[in-house]
Amino acid sequence: MNTYSLEPELHAFEELLGCKLCLHIYSDSFFCGGKILIDRRRSSHRKTHPERCGREQRSYCIRHCKADLERRMAASPEKDIFAVHCRRGCFELVTPVYRNGRRVLTVFAGLLDPREKSHVRSIAKLLPVFAAGLEAKAHEKALINRNNTESCQEKVMEFIENHYFEDISTADAAKAVSLSVSRLCHILKENSLGTFSQLLTAERIYHAKQFLAYSDSELRLNEIAALCGFGKYEHFSRTFKRETGVSPAVWRKKHRLPV
């Protein structure tokens, strides 16, 4: 997915209706796969309209164009179009978009000439439809990305479960799920799963505990280390103690199950 992948739709609307769009986002739908779907500069009126809004006092803009508008929208949640005028003569049409009763997006179309009534009426009719469609498309992209991410997580965990006893690396896992190493690491971090190394170690420790717990097992500690992918016993013992607080021998003595 390319960065700013919804920009073509925004540019097409602007060119067709002769206006500039500014977006205030209150949802993570426009942030997909670690990338934002629109140009970040669109969130600022001062950057969208530097020749007018950029010259106004910020405190006035916040009080008039933000606070007052917020109160008007809160008082009339059923309305889908609002008009905003300011002391510099700026005129905008504004559309709020709601999902499950919560406002997730506000789209501003400006700066318009209120004397061009036919032009203003056209934008007033089209802006709510466009804004709702834009949010729906962003939400759909976010759902697809979330499903792909969850599928990727499941595949990574399945790969670890099937190969924990082998000498595997992050690159091996990335290849197995058809991702780059950097993308795989980002997904794991983004979802608070830890690093691939941490996930692999946890899986190996889990299986080591199973081997250690059975009293009828004749396996020696160095054999368990090899079976769980640790290689040398020293590495196994050091890692096991770091993760559990005790050595494998002590853990086995404490947790060995009766026959």
Side-chain angles (χ1 to χ4, degrees):
M1 180 187 301
N2 295 326
T3 304
Y4 306 157
S5 62
L6 290 180
E7 279 295 317
E9 287 86 344
L10 293 167
H11 284 297
F13 187 93
E14 289 173 331
E15 291 179 6
L16 181 65
L17 293 176
C19 62
K20 292 288 290 184
L21 297 177
C22 182
L23 280 66
H24 290 182
I25 299 168
Y26 309 97
S27 156
D28 61 358
S29 292
F30 285 81
F31 299 87
C32 187
K35 298 179 180 179
I36 188 170
L37 303 181
I38 64 167
D39 191 328
R40 291 178 182 273
R41 290 172 294 185
R42 286 191 181 277
S43 64
S44 169
H45 275 75
R46 305 178 80 81
K47 293 180 179 178
T48 305
H49 309 291
E51 73 288 351
R52 301 287 289 280
C53 298
R55 296 180 179 179
E56 182 55 86
Q57 292 180 356
R58 185 177 180 84
S59 58
Y60 172 79
C61 294
I62 292 175
R63 183 176 68 256
H64 178 75
C65 296
K66 183 173 174 59
D68 288 354
L69 177 61
E70 290 287 337
R71 283 192 288 269
R72 290 169 59 196
M73 289 192 291
S76 304
E78 75 286 352
K79 289 186 63 175
D80 60 6
I81 197 76
F82 295 82
V84 176
H85 302 258
C86 81
R87 66 187 182 186
R88 279 192 174 268
C90 299
F91 177 65
E92 287 185 297
L93 291 177
V94 186
T95 288
V97 180
Y98 298 88
R99 180 172 290 278
N100 299 325
R102 182 173 69 92
R103 183 152 51 92
V104 293
L105 176 69
T106 305
V107 182
F108 300 77
L111 298 172
L112 307 177
D113 186 344
R115 295 171 299 181
E116 298 180 358
K117 295 183 179 180
S118 177
H119 183 220
V120 170
R121 282 196 296 268
S122 295
I123 294 179
K125 290 179 181 179
L126 293 175
L127 187 62
V129 178
F130 176 79
L134 186 73
E135 192 281 331
K137 189 168 185 178
H139 184 70
E140 180 183 9
K141 285 177 178 285
L143 287 178
I144 292 173
N145 178 71
R146 193 173 299 125
N147 291 336
N148 289 341
T149 297
E150 291 173 355
S151 175
C152 173
Q153 294 173 25
E154 293 173 359
K155 290 179 181 178
V156 170
M157 295 309 301
E158 183 180 1
F159 176 78
I160 290 175
E161 290 171 5
N162 292 334
H163 300 276
Y164 70 90
F165 48 85
E166 300 174 9
D167 182 17
I168 56 176
S169 66
T170 310
D172 296 321
K175 183 177 180 180
V177 298
S178 302
L179 291 175
S180 67
V181 171
S182 60
R183 179 62 183 145
L184 173 60
C185 291
H186 177 79
I187 288 176
L188 296 179
K189 180 179 179 181
E190 188 177 46
N191 292 277
S192 302
L193 296 177
T195 65
F196 174 78
S197 177
Q198 290 171 331
L199 293 174
L200 177 59
T201 296
E203 185 71 15
R204 286 172 170 172
I205 293 294
Y206 168 79
H207 287 281
K209 287 179 177 179
Q210 309 311 304
F211 283 120
L212 291 169
Y214 288 98
S215 59
D216 59 345
S217 173
E218 297 298 326
L219 293 172
R220 297 177 179 177
L221 295 178
N222 62 332
E223 292 173 325
I224 292 177
L227 285 171
C228 294
F230 286 102
K232 295 182 179 181
Y233 170 71
E234 291 77 11
H235 175 49
F236 170 47
S237 180
R238 184 170 58 252
T239 304
F240 192 93
K241 188 171 184 178
R242 185 189 70 214
E243 297 296 320
T244 67
V246 297
S247 69
V250 171
W251 198 94
R252 173 181 245 179
K253 185 176 181 180
K254 184 178 180 179
H255 296 277
R256 178 172 288 188
L257 299 173
V259 178

